[in-house]
């Protein structure tokens, strides 16, 4: 490297989740020294923190796994089509051991600041414990969904029972059996944990502010023949993943949500629409060519969805309360579940429809709503995340001239390719805003980004460059492109409020954050940029 400034390590990687683990392995293999700083006391990121009952990935196991090591792919055996949290945590721990990663991972080490030194052209990374690491490069593998959203409901500290957050679930037996449990939130986490908590609880109260579009996962044991087929040609499978819009090929035995069908729902008769419900159940709502792009068609699809809720939930009033209305299918990330709606047919499960009277406060013994007081032993928050920017916003990141990243992103995140930010040389984000990230398979996206960063570091080493960062023009053009291609999608429909646009966090700027063009288009563009001598990046 140019000038070879004094550093502790070439690269500081923040986070020991799927991206951070691979980053450490990859950078080492390329001859760089690296250290991973991780806030938790275990590896696995999302799959370390989200250990709530029912936590399960919504991407099939064979697809939600690393492709960087043929040996790893051949050795590891997945048991279910959709892997549950314990299996994923085991997998990431196996990877940490298998590749001797632990000696360079500092657990229980929360990063508080990262500051660029203009003169030395190094980063100083500081931790809550007072450690300081000086590095040439910082790679933020902090995850797009890692910072819990804790709603400011008054009285939370007064509750005398147990308070739990799905995304910070403690290890071990929490003694939930026979308890009166209140669950707040009906996104992916709430939906997944509802049947499991219902099975444990004396009575489960589900506090629902907005009903959810959720589709049955049809999960089951993984067919050994399917696993064998992948093992016979993982190279091709991985190649196909990168050539597929969301990084999921659908060749793993999973019954993937009905992809856009051939027919337009707007051209079908009522009888034909209902026949589709008979045939495909909940999937009927999306089995049409026009539901994803035409608001009127989308509403017809939503009506088929509600028809299925009515067919599943015995009590018609309850079915109506559970039926999403007023926002389109495809606005939020699709949820997949195991017997979610069926759970509400149990006598020991009560839906508290907060549209009929919201939460006023938490009391010593439960939750006070405008509909009355609910006595509880346990309150579970499944209230989501400060998505995509939350983790970086909590670290005091300062680039050239001490400029805070928080200020740069005050009106919404701005990046070039979701990989770098102008004014923050040698700082990289894995699956950052402006990249496909959360719209697809995070393992595929993370591996692609880490490989790209590794190649960039090698490029710099070979040419003696000290710093890399995007030009303002390139970043502006990319941000504009990301916004432009989101136009006309359900993600930014006027009726759509989701964490994709930051709408779940009070005061957060409303900006659609991921790149919606799909992995193949994204990867092609990134490759083109590299082929054009890293067009849009400035090296010194
Ligand atoms: O969070 P969410 P999540 N009072 O933001 C409610 C991934 N993930 O953790 O919609 C009452 O979706 C809120 O209500 P509303 C996946 O990408 C994946 O469930 O704002 N309720 C909503 O119901 C997913 O999309 C997997 O009205 C309040 C819920 O809390 C993402 O993580 C599993 C409230 C939050 O839903 C986030 O999912 C889990 C309040 N004050 C997560 N504040 C899989 O792989 C919030 N809510 C399957």
């Amino acid at each position: 490297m140019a000038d070879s400034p004094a550093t502790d390590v070439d690269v500081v990687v923040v986070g020991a989740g799927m991206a951070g683990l691979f980053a450490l392995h990859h950078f080492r293999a390329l001859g760089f020294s690296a250290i991973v700083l991780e806030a938790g006391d275990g590896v696995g990121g999302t799959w370390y923190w989200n250990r709530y009952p029912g936590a399960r990935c919504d991407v099939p196991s064979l697809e939600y796994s690393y492709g960087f090591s043929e040996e790893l792919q051949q050795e590891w055996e997945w048991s279910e089509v959709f892997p549950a949290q314990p299996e994923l945590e085991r997998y990431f721990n196996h990877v940490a051991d298998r590749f001797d990663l632990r000696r360079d991972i500092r657990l229980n080490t929360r990063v508080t600041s990262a500051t660029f030194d203009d003169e030395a052209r190094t980063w100083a990374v500081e931790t809550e414990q007072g450690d300081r690491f000086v590095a040439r490069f910082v790679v933020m593998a902090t995850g797009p969904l890692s910072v819990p959203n804790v709603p400011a409901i008054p009285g939370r500290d007064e509750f005398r029972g147990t308070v739990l957050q799905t995304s910070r679930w403690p290890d071990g037996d929490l003694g939930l059996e026979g308890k009166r449990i209140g669950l707040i939130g009906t996104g992916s986490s709430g939906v997944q944990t509802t049947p499991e908590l219902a099975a444990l609880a004396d009575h489960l109260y589900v506090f629902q502010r907005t009903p959810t579009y959720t589709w049955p996962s049809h999960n089951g044991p993984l067919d050994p023949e399917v696993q064998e087929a992948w093992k016979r040609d993982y190279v091709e499978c991985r190649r196909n993943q990168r050539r597929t819009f969301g990084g999921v090929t659908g060749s793993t035995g999973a019954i993937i949500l009905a992809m856009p069908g051939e027919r337009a729902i707007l051209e079908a008769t009522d009888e034909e629409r209902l026949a589709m419900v008979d045939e495909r159940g909940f999937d009927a709502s999306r089995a049409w060519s026009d539901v994803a792009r035409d608001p009127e068609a989308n509403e017809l699809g939503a009506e088929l969805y509600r028809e299925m809720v009515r067919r599943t939930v015995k009590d018609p009033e309850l079915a109506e309360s559970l039926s999403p209305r007023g926002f389109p299918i495809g606005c939020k990330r699709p949820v997949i579940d195991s017997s979610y709606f069926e759970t509400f047919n149990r006598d020991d499960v009560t839906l508290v429809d907060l549209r009929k009277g919201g939460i006023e406060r938490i009391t010593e013994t439960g939750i006070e709503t405008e509909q009355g007081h609910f006595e509880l032993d346990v309150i579970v928050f499944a209230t989501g995340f400060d998505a995509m920017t939350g983790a970086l916003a909590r670290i005091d990141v300062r680039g050239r001239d001490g400029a805070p990243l928080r200020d740069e992103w005050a009106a919404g995140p701005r990046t070039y390719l979701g990989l770098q930010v102008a004014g923050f040389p040698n700082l990289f984000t894995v699956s950052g805003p402006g990249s496909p990230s959360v719209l697809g398979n995070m393992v595929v996206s993370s591996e692609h980004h880490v490989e790209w960063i590794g190649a960039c570091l090698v490029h710099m080493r070979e040419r003696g460059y000290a710093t890399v960062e995007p030009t303002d023009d390139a970043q502006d053009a990319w941000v504009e492109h990301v916004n432009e291609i989101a136009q006309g999608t359900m993600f930014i429909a006027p009726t759509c409020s989701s964490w994709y646009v930051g709408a779940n966090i009070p005061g957060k700027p409303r900006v659609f954050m991921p790149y919606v063009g799909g992995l193949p288009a994204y990867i092609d563009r990134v490759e083109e940029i590299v082929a054009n001598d890293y067009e849009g990046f400035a090296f010194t």
Side-chain angles (χ1 to χ4, degrees), residues 46-47 50 52 55-59 145 149 151-153 166-167 184-192 207-212 332-336 354 359 381-385 438 497-500 503-504:
T46 286
W47 304 107
N50 289 265
Y52 58 86
R56 185 179 294 286
C57 187
D58 57 2
V59 173
L145 294 161
N149 169 38
I153 301 175
T166 46
S167 51
I184 303 177
T186 53
S188 289
S189 308
V191 164
Q192 280 192 334
F207 294 81
Q208 172 199 267
R209 195 163 65 177
T210 309
T212 308
K332 301 185 184 190
R333 185 177 165 106
V335 177
I336 66 163
L354 296 174
I359 294 176
F381 286 87
T383 42
F385 300 89
V438 289
S497 294
S498 71
W499 57 256
Y500 290 133
N504 62 329

Short mmCIF file of all heavy atoms in Angstrom, two decimals, residues 46-47 50 52 55-59 145 149 151-153 166-167 184-192 207-212 332-336 354 359 381-385 438 497-500 503-504, ligand 1:
data_model
loop_
_atom_site.label_atom_id
_atom_site.label_comp_id
_atom_site.label_asym_id
_atom_site.label_seq_id
_atom_site.Cartn_x
_atom_site.Cartn_y
_atom_site.Cartn_z
N THR A 46 -28.03 -11.77 12.76
CA THR A 46 -29.48 -11.95 12.84
C THR A 46 -29.85 -13.26 13.53
O THR A 46 -30.78 -13.30 14.34
CB THR A 46 -30.06 -11.98 11.41
OG1 THR A 46 -30.06 -10.65 10.91
CG2 THR A 46 -31.48 -12.50 11.37
N TRP A 47 -29.07 -14.30 13.23
CA TRP A 47 -29.43 -15.63 13.74
C TRP A 47 -28.85 -15.89 15.11
O TRP A 47 -29.06 -16.94 15.70
CB TRP A 47 -29.05 -16.71 12.71
CG TRP A 47 -29.72 -16.36 11.42
CD1 TRP A 47 -29.13 -15.86 10.30
CD2 TRP A 47 -31.13 -16.36 11.16
NE1 TRP A 47 -30.09 -15.57 9.35
CE2 TRP A 47 -31.32 -15.87 9.86
CE3 TRP A 47 -32.26 -16.74 11.92
CZ2 TRP A 47 -32.58 -15.75 9.27
CZ3 TRP A 47 -33.52 -16.61 11.35
CH2 TRP A 47 -33.66 -16.12 10.04
N ASN A 50 -32.02 -13.11 16.97
CA ASN A 50 -33.47 -13.40 16.81
C ASN A 50 -33.76 -14.86 17.14
O ASN A 50 -34.05 -15.66 16.26
CB ASN A 50 -33.91 -13.10 15.38
CG ASN A 50 -33.92 -11.61 15.11
OD1 ASN A 50 -34.96 -10.96 15.21
ND2 ASN A 50 -32.78 -11.05 14.77
N TYR A 52 -36.21 -16.00 19.01
CA TYR A 52 -37.58 -16.14 19.53
C TYR A 52 -38.21 -17.44 19.02
O TYR A 52 -37.81 -17.95 17.95
CB TYR A 52 -38.43 -14.93 19.13
CG TYR A 52 -38.54 -14.68 17.65
CD1 TYR A 52 -39.50 -15.33 16.86
CD2 TYR A 52 -37.68 -13.80 17.00
CE1 TYR A 52 -39.59 -15.11 15.50
CE2 TYR A 52 -37.76 -13.56 15.64
CZ TYR A 52 -38.72 -14.23 14.90
OH TYR A 52 -38.80 -14.02 13.54
N ALA A 55 -38.64 -18.51 15.12
CA ALA A 55 -37.77 -17.75 14.21
C ALA A 55 -37.26 -18.67 13.11
O ALA A 55 -36.67 -19.72 13.38
CB ALA A 55 -36.60 -17.13 14.95
N ARG A 56 -37.46 -18.27 11.91
CA ARG A 56 -37.15 -19.12 10.77
C ARG A 56 -36.87 -18.23 9.57
O ARG A 56 -37.48 -17.17 9.43
CB ARG A 56 -38.37 -20.02 10.49
CG ARG A 56 -38.19 -21.06 9.40
CD ARG A 56 -39.47 -21.88 9.25
NE ARG A 56 -39.80 -22.69 10.41
CZ ARG A 56 -39.17 -23.81 10.77
NH1 ARG A 56 -38.18 -24.26 10.03
NH2 ARG A 56 -39.53 -24.48 11.83
N CYS A 57 -35.97 -18.66 8.71
CA CYS A 57 -35.63 -17.86 7.54
C CYS A 57 -36.71 -18.01 6.47
O CYS A 57 -37.30 -19.08 6.33
CB CYS A 57 -34.29 -18.32 7.00
SG CYS A 57 -33.69 -17.28 5.68
N ASP A 58 -36.95 -16.94 5.73
CA ASP A 58 -37.95 -17.04 4.65
C ASP A 58 -37.29 -17.29 3.30
O ASP A 58 -37.93 -17.15 2.25
CB ASP A 58 -38.86 -15.80 4.62
CG ASP A 58 -38.10 -14.50 4.46
OD1 ASP A 58 -36.86 -14.55 4.34
OD2 ASP A 58 -38.74 -13.44 4.47
N VAL A 59 -36.01 -17.65 3.32
CA VAL A 59 -35.31 -18.09 2.11
C VAL A 59 -34.92 -19.55 2.34
O VAL A 59 -34.45 -19.89 3.42
CB VAL A 59 -34.06 -17.21 1.86
CG1 VAL A 59 -33.24 -17.76 0.70
CG2 VAL A 59 -34.46 -15.77 1.61
N LEU A 145 -31.07 -5.05 9.29
CA LEU A 145 -32.17 -5.23 10.25
C LEU A 145 -31.57 -5.71 11.58
O LEU A 145 -31.81 -6.82 12.03
CB LEU A 145 -33.17 -6.27 9.72
CG LEU A 145 -33.95 -5.84 8.47
CD1 LEU A 145 -34.56 -7.04 7.76
CD2 LEU A 145 -35.03 -4.83 8.82
N ASN A 149 -36.51 -1.70 16.95
CA ASN A 149 -37.38 -0.53 17.15
C ASN A 149 -38.13 -0.75 18.46
O ASN A 149 -38.91 -1.70 18.57
CB ASN A 149 -38.36 -0.41 15.99
CG ASN A 149 -39.46 0.60 16.27
OD1 ASN A 149 -39.21 1.64 16.87
ND2 ASN A 149 -40.68 0.29 15.84
N PRO A 151 -40.81 0.87 20.61
CA PRO A 151 -41.75 2.00 20.59
C PRO A 151 -41.86 2.67 21.95
O PRO A 151 -41.75 2.01 22.99
CB PRO A 151 -43.09 1.35 20.20
CG PRO A 151 -42.90 -0.12 20.28
CD PRO A 151 -41.44 -0.43 20.38
N ALA A 152 -42.05 3.99 21.89
CA ALA A 152 -42.10 4.76 23.13
C ALA A 152 -43.50 4.70 23.73
O ALA A 152 -44.25 5.68 23.73
CB ALA A 152 -41.70 6.20 22.85
N ILE A 153 -43.87 3.51 24.22
CA ILE A 153 -45.18 3.37 24.87
C ILE A 153 -44.99 3.72 26.35
O ILE A 153 -44.10 3.14 27.00
CB ILE A 153 -45.72 1.94 24.71
CG1 ILE A 153 -45.85 1.58 23.22
CG2 ILE A 153 -47.07 1.78 25.43
CD1 ILE A 153 -46.26 0.15 22.95
N THR A 166 -38.45 -9.62 20.41
CA THR A 166 -38.11 -10.78 19.57
C THR A 166 -36.66 -10.73 19.07
O THR A 166 -36.00 -11.77 19.00
CB THR A 166 -39.06 -10.87 18.35
OG1 THR A 166 -39.18 -9.58 17.76
CG2 THR A 166 -40.42 -11.40 18.74
N SER A 167 -36.19 -9.52 18.74
CA SER A 167 -34.86 -9.40 18.15
C SER A 167 -33.75 -9.30 19.19
O SER A 167 -32.60 -9.02 18.84
CB SER A 167 -34.82 -8.19 17.22
OG SER A 167 -35.31 -7.06 17.88
N ILE A 184 -46.99 -7.67 20.98
CA ILE A 184 -47.25 -6.43 20.23
C ILE A 184 -46.50 -6.50 18.90
O ILE A 184 -45.28 -6.65 18.88
CB ILE A 184 -46.77 -5.18 21.02
CG1 ILE A 184 -47.45 -5.12 22.39
CG2 ILE A 184 -47.04 -3.91 20.23
CD1 ILE A 184 -46.97 -3.96 23.26
N GLY A 185 -47.24 -6.41 17.80
CA GLY A 185 -46.61 -6.42 16.48
C GLY A 185 -46.97 -7.65 15.68
O GLY A 185 -46.92 -8.78 16.19
N THR A 186 -47.33 -7.43 14.43
CA THR A 186 -47.74 -8.53 13.55
C THR A 186 -47.04 -8.44 12.19
O THR A 186 -47.64 -8.65 11.15
CB THR A 186 -49.28 -8.53 13.36
OG1 THR A 186 -49.69 -7.23 12.93
CG2 THR A 186 -50.01 -8.89 14.63
N GLY A 187 -45.73 -8.10 12.23
CA GLY A 187 -44.90 -8.24 11.03
C GLY A 187 -44.37 -9.67 10.98
O GLY A 187 -44.93 -10.57 11.62
N SER A 188 -43.27 -9.89 10.26
CA SER A 188 -42.71 -11.25 10.12
C SER A 188 -42.45 -11.88 11.48
O SER A 188 -42.79 -13.05 11.72
CB SER A 188 -41.38 -11.22 9.37
OG SER A 188 -41.59 -10.92 8.04
N SER A 189 -41.83 -11.11 12.39
CA SER A 189 -41.46 -11.70 13.68
C SER A 189 -42.71 -12.07 14.47
O SER A 189 -42.80 -13.18 15.01
CB SER A 189 -40.63 -10.70 14.49
OG SER A 189 -39.55 -10.23 13.74
N GLY A 190 -43.67 -11.15 14.55
CA GLY A 190 -44.89 -11.42 15.30
C GLY A 190 -45.68 -12.58 14.71
O GLY A 190 -46.18 -13.45 15.44
N VAL A 191 -45.77 -12.60 13.40
CA VAL A 191 -46.52 -13.67 12.72
C VAL A 191 -45.87 -15.03 12.97
O VAL A 191 -46.53 -16.02 13.24
CB VAL A 191 -46.64 -13.37 11.21
CG1 VAL A 191 -47.06 -14.60 10.44
CG2 VAL A 191 -47.61 -12.22 10.97
N GLN A 192 -44.53 -15.06 12.89
CA GLN A 192 -43.84 -16.33 13.09
C GLN A 192 -43.98 -16.84 14.51
O GLN A 192 -44.07 -18.05 14.74
CB GLN A 192 -42.35 -16.16 12.80
CG GLN A 192 -42.01 -16.18 11.34
CD GLN A 192 -40.51 -16.29 11.14
OE1 GLN A 192 -39.72 -15.91 12.00
NE2 GLN A 192 -40.13 -16.83 10.01
N PHE A 207 -51.66 -8.03 19.98
CA PHE A 207 -52.03 -6.63 19.80
C PHE A 207 -51.64 -6.22 18.39
O PHE A 207 -50.46 -6.08 18.07
CB PHE A 207 -51.34 -5.74 20.84
CG PHE A 207 -51.80 -6.02 22.25
CD1 PHE A 207 -51.28 -7.08 22.97
CD2 PHE A 207 -52.79 -5.23 22.84
CE1 PHE A 207 -51.73 -7.37 24.25
CE2 PHE A 207 -53.23 -5.50 24.12
CZ PHE A 207 -52.71 -6.58 24.83
N GLN A 208 -52.66 -6.05 17.54
CA GLN A 208 -52.42 -5.80 16.12
C GLN A 208 -52.82 -4.37 15.72
O GLN A 208 -53.97 -3.98 15.89
CB GLN A 208 -53.24 -6.79 15.29
CG GLN A 208 -53.23 -6.50 13.80
CD GLN A 208 -54.38 -7.17 13.07
OE1 GLN A 208 -54.21 -8.26 12.56
NE2 GLN A 208 -55.54 -6.52 13.03
N ARG A 209 -51.82 -3.63 15.22
CA ARG A 209 -52.15 -2.28 14.74
C ARG A 209 -52.52 -2.32 13.26
O ARG A 209 -53.46 -1.66 12.83
CB ARG A 209 -50.94 -1.36 14.97
CG ARG A 209 -51.26 0.10 14.84
CD ARG A 209 -50.19 0.95 15.45
NE ARG A 209 -48.91 0.84 14.76
CZ ARG A 209 -47.84 1.54 15.09
NH1 ARG A 209 -47.88 2.38 16.11
NH2 ARG A 209 -46.71 1.40 14.41
N THR A 210 -51.79 -3.13 12.49
CA THR A 210 -52.07 -3.26 11.06
C THR A 210 -52.08 -4.74 10.68
O THR A 210 -51.10 -5.44 10.95
CB THR A 210 -50.97 -2.55 10.22
OG1 THR A 210 -50.79 -1.23 10.72
CG2 THR A 210 -51.36 -2.49 8.75
N PRO A 211 -53.16 -5.24 10.09
CA PRO A 211 -53.16 -6.64 9.64
C PRO A 211 -52.09 -6.86 8.56
O PRO A 211 -51.68 -5.92 7.89
CB PRO A 211 -54.56 -6.83 9.07
CG PRO A 211 -55.38 -5.70 9.58
CD PRO A 211 -54.43 -4.57 9.80
N THR A 212 -51.73 -8.11 8.41
CA THR A 212 -50.55 -8.45 7.59
C THR A 212 -50.94 -9.34 6.42
O THR A 212 -51.78 -10.22 6.57
CB THR A 212 -49.55 -9.23 8.48
OG1 THR A 212 -49.33 -8.47 9.65
CG2 THR A 212 -48.26 -9.50 7.76
N LYS A 332 -45.15 -4.07 1.53
CA LYS A 332 -44.22 -4.49 2.58
C LYS A 332 -43.59 -5.82 2.17
O LYS A 332 -44.09 -6.50 1.28
CB LYS A 332 -44.98 -4.67 3.90
CG LYS A 332 -45.69 -3.43 4.37
CD LYS A 332 -46.30 -3.63 5.72
CE LYS A 332 -47.10 -2.41 6.13
NZ LYS A 332 -47.54 -2.43 7.52
N ARG A 333 -42.55 -6.18 2.87
CA ARG A 333 -41.92 -7.45 2.57
C ARG A 333 -42.91 -8.58 2.86
O ARG A 333 -43.52 -8.62 3.94
CB ARG A 333 -40.68 -7.64 3.43
CG ARG A 333 -39.91 -8.90 3.08
CD ARG A 333 -38.64 -8.99 3.91
NE ARG A 333 -38.09 -10.31 3.83
CZ ARG A 333 -37.00 -10.63 3.14
NH1 ARG A 333 -36.37 -9.71 2.46
NH2 ARG A 333 -36.55 -11.86 3.14
N PRO A 334 -43.11 -9.52 1.91
CA PRO A 334 -44.07 -10.59 2.17
C PRO A 334 -43.65 -11.40 3.39
O PRO A 334 -42.47 -11.67 3.59
CB PRO A 334 -43.98 -11.46 0.91
CG PRO A 334 -43.12 -10.75 -0.05
CD PRO A 334 -42.40 -9.65 0.65
N VAL A 335 -44.61 -11.74 4.18
CA VAL A 335 -44.36 -12.56 5.37
C VAL A 335 -44.71 -13.99 4.99
O VAL A 335 -45.64 -14.22 4.22
CB VAL A 335 -45.26 -12.08 6.53
CG1 VAL A 335 -45.07 -12.95 7.76
CG2 VAL A 335 -44.96 -10.61 6.85
N ILE A 336 -43.94 -14.94 5.50
CA ILE A 336 -44.37 -16.33 5.32
C ILE A 336 -44.52 -16.97 6.69
O ILE A 336 -43.79 -16.65 7.62
CB ILE A 336 -43.47 -17.17 4.40
CG1 ILE A 336 -42.10 -17.38 5.01
CG2 ILE A 336 -43.38 -16.59 3.01
CD1 ILE A 336 -41.36 -18.52 4.33
N LEU A 354 -56.19 -3.09 17.40
CA LEU A 354 -55.93 -1.76 17.96
C LEU A 354 -56.60 -0.65 17.17
O LEU A 354 -56.64 0.49 17.62
CB LEU A 354 -54.42 -1.52 18.05
CG LEU A 354 -53.67 -2.47 19.01
CD1 LEU A 354 -52.17 -2.26 18.91
CD2 LEU A 354 -54.14 -2.29 20.45
N ILE A 359 -53.30 1.28 22.10
CA ILE A 359 -52.60 1.12 23.38
C ILE A 359 -52.42 2.50 23.99
O ILE A 359 -51.97 3.44 23.32
CB ILE A 359 -51.22 0.44 23.16
CG1 ILE A 359 -51.42 -1.00 22.68
CG2 ILE A 359 -50.39 0.49 24.44
CD1 ILE A 359 -50.13 -1.72 22.33
N PHE A 381 -42.38 -7.68 22.57
CA PHE A 381 -42.36 -6.67 21.50
C PHE A 381 -41.82 -7.32 20.24
O PHE A 381 -40.68 -7.82 20.22
CB PHE A 381 -41.47 -5.48 21.88
CG PHE A 381 -42.08 -4.58 22.91
CD1 PHE A 381 -41.92 -4.84 24.26
CD2 PHE A 381 -42.82 -3.48 22.52
CE1 PHE A 381 -42.50 -4.01 25.21
CE2 PHE A 381 -43.41 -2.64 23.46
CZ PHE A 381 -43.25 -2.91 24.81
N ALA A 382 -42.65 -7.33 19.20
CA ALA A 382 -42.20 -7.79 17.87
C ALA A 382 -42.38 -6.59 16.95
O ALA A 382 -43.10 -6.64 15.96
CB ALA A 382 -43.04 -8.98 17.42
N THR A 383 -41.72 -5.50 17.32
CA THR A 383 -42.04 -4.20 16.74
C THR A 383 -41.02 -3.73 15.70
O THR A 383 -41.00 -2.56 15.35
CB THR A 383 -42.18 -3.16 17.87
OG1 THR A 383 -41.13 -3.37 18.82
CG2 THR A 383 -43.50 -3.30 18.58
N GLY A 384 -40.19 -4.67 15.21
CA GLY A 384 -39.38 -4.38 14.05
C GLY A 384 -38.06 -3.69 14.34
O GLY A 384 -37.54 -3.73 15.46
N PHE A 385 -37.56 -3.01 13.31
CA PHE A 385 -36.18 -2.52 13.32
C PHE A 385 -36.10 -1.10 12.76
O PHE A 385 -36.92 -0.70 11.94
CB PHE A 385 -35.31 -3.42 12.43
CG PHE A 385 -35.29 -4.86 12.87
CD1 PHE A 385 -36.24 -5.76 12.39
CD2 PHE A 385 -34.34 -5.31 13.77
CE1 PHE A 385 -36.23 -7.08 12.81
CE2 PHE A 385 -34.33 -6.63 14.19
CZ PHE A 385 -35.28 -7.52 13.71
N VAL A 438 -31.97 -6.12 1.16
CA VAL A 438 -33.16 -6.70 1.80
C VAL A 438 -34.23 -7.15 0.81
O VAL A 438 -35.20 -7.80 1.20
CB VAL A 438 -33.80 -5.72 2.80
CG1 VAL A 438 -32.93 -5.57 4.02
CG2 VAL A 438 -34.04 -4.37 2.14
N SER A 497 -46.91 2.32 3.93
CA SER A 497 -45.97 2.73 4.98
C SER A 497 -45.20 1.50 5.41
O SER A 497 -45.79 0.57 5.94
CB SER A 497 -46.72 3.29 6.19
OG SER A 497 -47.36 4.47 5.84
N SER A 498 -43.91 1.48 5.18
CA SER A 498 -43.14 0.29 5.52
C SER A 498 -41.77 0.70 6.04
O SER A 498 -41.37 1.86 5.94
CB SER A 498 -42.94 -0.57 4.27
OG SER A 498 -42.04 0.09 3.39
N TRP A 499 -41.05 -0.30 6.57
CA TRP A 499 -39.68 0.02 7.01
C TRP A 499 -38.76 0.25 5.82
O TRP A 499 -37.72 0.87 5.97
CB TRP A 499 -39.15 -1.03 7.97
CG TRP A 499 -39.10 -2.46 7.50
CD1 TRP A 499 -39.95 -3.46 7.85
CD2 TRP A 499 -38.12 -3.05 6.63
NE1 TRP A 499 -39.58 -4.64 7.24
CE2 TRP A 499 -38.46 -4.42 6.49
CE3 TRP A 499 -37.00 -2.57 5.95
CZ2 TRP A 499 -37.71 -5.30 5.69
CZ3 TRP A 499 -36.26 -3.44 5.15
CH2 TRP A 499 -36.62 -4.79 5.04
N TYR A 500 -39.14 -0.22 4.62
CA TYR A 500 -38.34 0.07 3.43
C TYR A 500 -38.20 1.58 3.23
O TYR A 500 -37.22 2.05 2.67
CB TYR A 500 -39.01 -0.47 2.16
CG TYR A 500 -39.05 -1.96 1.97
CD1 TYR A 500 -40.23 -2.58 1.58
CD2 TYR A 500 -37.91 -2.74 2.11
CE1 TYR A 500 -40.29 -3.95 1.35
CE2 TYR A 500 -37.96 -4.12 1.88
CZ TYR A 500 -39.14 -4.72 1.50
OH TYR A 500 -39.21 -6.06 1.26
N ALA A 503 -40.81 4.40 7.35
CA ALA A 503 -42.06 4.94 7.93
C ALA A 503 -42.34 4.42 9.33
O ALA A 503 -43.18 4.98 10.04
CB ALA A 503 -43.24 4.59 7.01
N ASN A 504 -41.65 3.35 9.75
CA ASN A 504 -41.94 2.78 11.08
C ASN A 504 -41.18 3.49 12.20
O ASN A 504 -41.41 3.20 13.37
CB ASN A 504 -41.58 1.28 11.10
CG ASN A 504 -40.10 1.03 10.85
OD1 ASN A 504 -39.46 1.79 10.14
ND2 ASN A 504 -39.57 -0.01 11.43
O1 LIG B 1 -40.94 -5.95 11.98
P1 LIG B 1 -42.06 -5.16 11.13
P2 LIG B 1 -40.59 -7.50 11.98
N1 LIG B 1 -47.87 -0.32 18.76
O2 LIG B 1 -41.57 -3.75 11.09
C1 LIG B 1 -45.97 -3.14 14.97
C2 LIG B 1 -37.22 -9.48 8.55
N2 LIG B 1 -37.63 -10.68 9.23
O3 LIG B 1 -39.50 -7.72 12.97
O4 LIG B 1 -47.55 -2.16 10.81
C3 LIG B 1 -48.37 -1.39 18.14
O5 LIG B 1 -42.34 -5.82 9.86
C4 LIG B 1 -46.14 -2.78 13.52
O6 LIG B 1 -47.40 -2.25 13.28
P3 LIG B 1 -47.63 -1.26 12.01
C5 LIG B 1 -38.13 -9.25 7.36
O7 LIG B 1 -37.41 -8.62 6.35
C6 LIG B 1 -37.59 -11.82 8.52
O8 LIG B 1 -41.78 -8.32 12.12
O9 LIG B 1 -46.50 -0.27 12.05
N3 LIG B 1 -47.75 -2.04 17.15
C7 LIG B 1 -45.89 -4.14 12.89
O10 LIG B 1 -47.02 -4.95 12.97
C8 LIG B 1 -39.16 -8.34 7.95
O11 LIG B 1 -39.88 -7.60 7.00
C9 LIG B 1 -38.01 -12.97 9.09
O12 LIG B 1 -48.94 -0.67 12.24
C10 LIG B 1 -46.56 -1.57 16.77
C11 LIG B 1 -44.80 -4.74 13.79
O13 LIG B 1 -44.87 -4.02 15.02
C12 LIG B 1 -38.32 -7.50 8.86
O14 LIG B 1 -37.38 -8.39 9.41
C13 LIG B 1 -38.50 -12.99 10.37
C14 LIG B 1 -45.96 -0.45 17.37
C15 LIG B 1 -43.43 -4.58 13.23
O15 LIG B 1 -43.34 -5.28 12.03
C16 LIG B 1 -39.08 -6.83 9.98
O16 LIG B 1 -40.01 -7.73 10.55
C17 LIG B 1 -38.53 -11.82 11.08
C18 LIG B 1 -46.67 0.18 18.41
N4 LIG B 1 -46.19 1.25 19.03
C19 LIG B 1 -38.10 -10.68 10.50
N5 LIG B 1 -44.78 -0.24 16.78
C20 LIG B 1 -37.97 -14.17 8.26
O17 LIG B 1 -36.96 -14.54 7.70
C21 LIG B 1 -44.64 -1.18 15.83
N6 LIG B 1 -45.72 -1.99 15.83
C22 LIG B 1 -39.20 -14.91 8.07
#
